[in-house]
Amino acid sequence: MRLEAVTLDAVGTLFAVAEPVGRTYARFAARHGITLAPARAERDFGEALVAAPSLAFPGVGRARLAERERAWWHAVVRRAFGPAAERPSFETCFAELFAHYGRREAWRVFPEVAEALRLLRTQGLKLAVVSNFDGRLPPLLAALGLRPLLDLVLHSTAAAAAKPDPAIFRSASSALGVAPAATVHAGDGLVADVEGARRAGLRAILVDRRDQRPRLPAGVSRITTLSELPALVFGLD
Ligand SMILES: [Mg+2]
């Protein structure tokens, strides 16, 4: 089947944090008289993310979504702060961090991304971002200058399903008006992106920026930057 759409993961694929999370947390905490060890905060943040429930709230109406998203992040950041989260100033600090990660200063778009997306678009492909993220994602992509290159932005809380749940990929295909089999998804997560997309009937490409070369299922390609994406996608066709 002819390829008609490319869906892309966001964090680790299009952009990354501008500074390690532990360092940012420690910097913000210090303004509020809280001492955090960056390396430890980084490790505990990673553990909190792994342990967190999926970032989707099926059955929760639009009006209450923002509150649930914030509570989800509050639990993650709280765990990363450890005992320091008991300090009264933690709440202000959390509010500042939550706002920070909704702004472009917190992120760095990989240098080849815009050009790769432009090339794909000039070939008539539809482009979407499919990301385990919250309502801050659409304005963030706009602030990072990527929104005009995309036909659709679908974050997990809006889809009421988080990757690797195939439902979010199916929602994206359906919103694009393209069959899953005519869509390829590129992302840096072996489970969230590669497995999830394949379970939904999409083709998958692993974005292996650290060149870790994991074992991949047959038919899954691997690239190390998005510069390789247009040629690969046109070759798949
Ligand atoms: Mg990712």
Side-chain angles (χ1 to χ4, degrees):
M1 186 181 264
R2 199 177 172 281
L3 272 179
E4 295 171 45
V6 179
T7 59
L8 299 133
D9 166 51
V11 180
T13 298
L14 301 180
F15 54 82
V17 285
E19 165 182 74
V21 168
R23 208 182 298 162
T24 306
Y25 281 18
R27 205 156 53 75
F28 278 64
R31 292 187 203 158
H32 296 281
I34 301 175
T35 305
L36 269 193
R40 183 170 177 170
E42 180 84 30
R43 186 200 66 197
D44 292 351
F45 169 74
E47 287 177 6
L49 268 192
V50 170
S54 68
L55 181 50
F57 312 102
V60 174
R62 234 167 230 262
R64 300 206 49 216
L65 214 46
E67 178 191 319
R68 294 293 295 273
E69 291 172 344
R70 202 180 166 89
W72 190 96
W73 280 108
H74 189 274
V76 168
V77 179
R78 200 182 163 83
R79 188 161 164 179
F81 269 60
E86 302 305 324
R87 301 277 297 273
S89 53
F90 171 75
E91 295 306 325
T92 319
C93 191
F94 166 72
E96 286 180 11
L97 282 167
F98 189 80
H100 174 70
Y101 286 106
R103 288 194 292 262
R104 78 189 155 129
E105 294 75 31
W107 306 95
R108 158 181 86 82
V109 178
F110 295 110
E112 80 288 2
V113 166
E115 178 61 18
L117 299 188
R118 260 183 228 114
L119 266 169
L120 290 165
R121 283 203 120 193
T122 54
Q123 297 302 312
L125 287 154
K126 289 186 176 170
L127 298 183
V129 167
V130 175
S131 166
N132 290 349
F133 215 111
D134 52 62
R136 292 171 296 175
L137 184 63
L140 177 62
L141 285 166
L144 292 171
L146 298 176
R147 188 65 186 89
L149 301 169
L150 301 162
D151 298 286
L152 170 76
V153 176
L154 186 58
H155 50 279
S156 55
T157 60
K163 299 181 292 185
D165 187 336
I168 188 171
F169 293 102
R170 291 199 198 106
S171 298
S173 295
S174 142
L176 289 169
V178 172
T183 307
V184 63
H185 177 75
D188 70 324
L190 261 181
V191 175
D193 295 304
V194 173
E195 253 184 64
R198 282 161 54 88
R199 272 166 54 203
L202 283 75
R203 286 182 254 188
I205 295 171
L206 178 73
V207 182
D208 184 18
R209 289 192 179 272
R210 287 187 207 134
D211 203 15
Q212 293 175 317
R213 304 167 191 252
R215 275 183 77 89
L216 291 173
V220 175
S221 309
R222 185 186 73 93
I223 55 179
T224 54
T225 79
L226 293 203
S227 314
E228 301 163 70
L229 187 59
L232 178 61
V233 165
F234 304 142
L236 288 176
D237 227 352

